[in-house]
Amino acid sequence: MKSEKGILEDTSSQDTFFMETLIVFLFIFVPMGWLIWGMLRFTRDTIGTNSPLKVKRIYRIRESAYFFKFDNLFAGFNVVLGLFLIRSGLTLPIAPDVHYPLLARAIILLTSAFIAGVGIFIWSLDFNHWKYVNGVVIETFPEEHELEITFGDFKLRLKEGDIVRVLVTSNDAKMRVSFMTYYLTNGNHFILSGKMPGVWVIHEYFKKIPTEHHKTQFPFIR
């Protein structure tokens, strides 16, 4: 017969094994399941049963969803880190064995300013593109194969042939930022930021539109 101590040790080891198995499951299978679910949902909403070519879809974005994204959080981290390093570069003493203390301090300050500048640049782009996203609504009409875009109080109904060409302006950075200028048959044009949800639907509905591409390091909308 096992002693009471032996039984307690067996129970403890089983509990430990169960917890370790649960942790492994949570860290491996839950993210994998979330990824698969996201891919299935994306497929359903783009080419599947919920495709804007098959059902009526409405695309808009709220201010909170627009500004609280990874790139904005990354920009905020850069700004805080850069300002902290600038303060440190101005106040921390340079070691006496450094031969060129002014040059060393200047390198620290320039590097810090660059880090903060990257964050400020990302924020500037977001605020610049926001006015071409704020209040914009894209609505699909699959039966008529038409789109309706709302710009505040103005609504624009689009059908095949209304857009004569598209100019896509973007940067070459890993964090791609772009905006599209759509030229209409009546001589007018409108601009949409690539940050606008559903902007891809326009190109999906009207695939034969001639498209030009322009690359720039500073894709600000003027």
Side-chain angles (χ1 to χ4, degrees):
M1 295 179 63
K2 288 186 177 181
S3 65
E4 184 178 347
K5 181 179 180 181
I7 294 174
L8 291 175
E9 289 178 351
D10 289 345
T11 304
S12 177
S13 62
Q14 289 176 1
D15 291 342
T16 302
F17 175 77
F18 174 77
M19 289 301 299
E20 291 176 349
T21 304
L22 180 61
I23 292 173
V24 171
F25 176 83
L26 291 176
F27 275 92
I28 296 179
F29 293 100
V30 171
M32 184 180 299
W34 179 83
L35 178 62
I36 294 174
W37 177 81
M39 293 174 61
L40 292 174
R41 182 181 178 184
F42 176 78
T43 302
R44 181 199 64 186
D45 291 346
T46 53
I47 61 176
T49 56
N50 207 24
S51 165
L53 292 171
K54 299 177 182 179
V55 299
K56 187 182 185 70
R57 297 288 304 276
I58 297 176
Y59 300 90
R60 59 166 61 91
I61 190 168
R62 297 183 182 276
E63 187 173 358
S64 57
Y66 179 84
F67 286 105
F68 289 94
K69 297 180 298 184
F70 171 77
D71 52 348
N72 289 308
L73 297 176
F74 173 76
F77 173 79
N78 273 28
V79 172
V80 172
L81 177 62
L83 294 177
F84 173 78
L85 292 176
I86 289 174
R87 182 177 179 277
S88 300
L90 291 172
T91 58
L92 289 179
I94 301 297
D97 57 341
V98 176
H99 297 293
Y100 302 98
L102 291 179
L103 178 60
R105 193 178 297 275
I107 292 175
I108 294 174
L109 292 175
L110 288 175
T111 303
S112 305
F114 174 78
I115 293 173
V118 170
I120 294 173
F121 174 71
I122 294 174
W123 277 349
S124 300
L125 272 178
D126 262 4
F127 280 108
N128 174 258
H129 281 235
W130 170 242
K131 60 183 177 181
Y132 296 91
V133 173
N134 185 24
V136 177
V137 180
I138 299 176
E139 188 173 355
T140 67
F141 296 86
E143 293 185 359
E144 298 89 350
H145 200 76
E146 295 179 359
L147 299 173
E148 187 173 87
I149 306 178
T150 302
F151 302 92
D153 297 330
F154 173 72
K155 291 187 177 182
L156 178 65
R157 190 71 173 241
L158 296 172
K159 60 182 183 298
E160 191 73 48
D162 286 345
I163 303 176
V164 293
R165 70 184 181 95
V166 181
L167 176 62
V168 180
T169 305
S170 64
N171 58 3
D172 286 325
K174 291 183 179 180
M175 285 188 177
R176 189 174 186 272
V177 179
S178 64
F179 65 90
M180 283 63 67
T181 306
Y182 299 88
Y183 296 90
L184 307 177
T185 53
N186 60 12
N188 295 327
H189 72 276
F190 66 91
I191 298 174
L192 287 177
S193 169
K195 297 176 180 288
M196 174 65 198
V199 70
W200 61 273
V201 175
I202 301 176
H203 304 263
E204 189 68 21
Y205 259 62
F206 314 123
K207 295 183 178 181
K208 297 181 180 180
I209 305 175
T211 303
E212 303 175 21
H213 294 271
H214 173 68
K215 292 184 178 180
T216 176
Q217 295 300 321
F218 306 101
F220 288 93
I221 306 175
R222 298 176 178 84

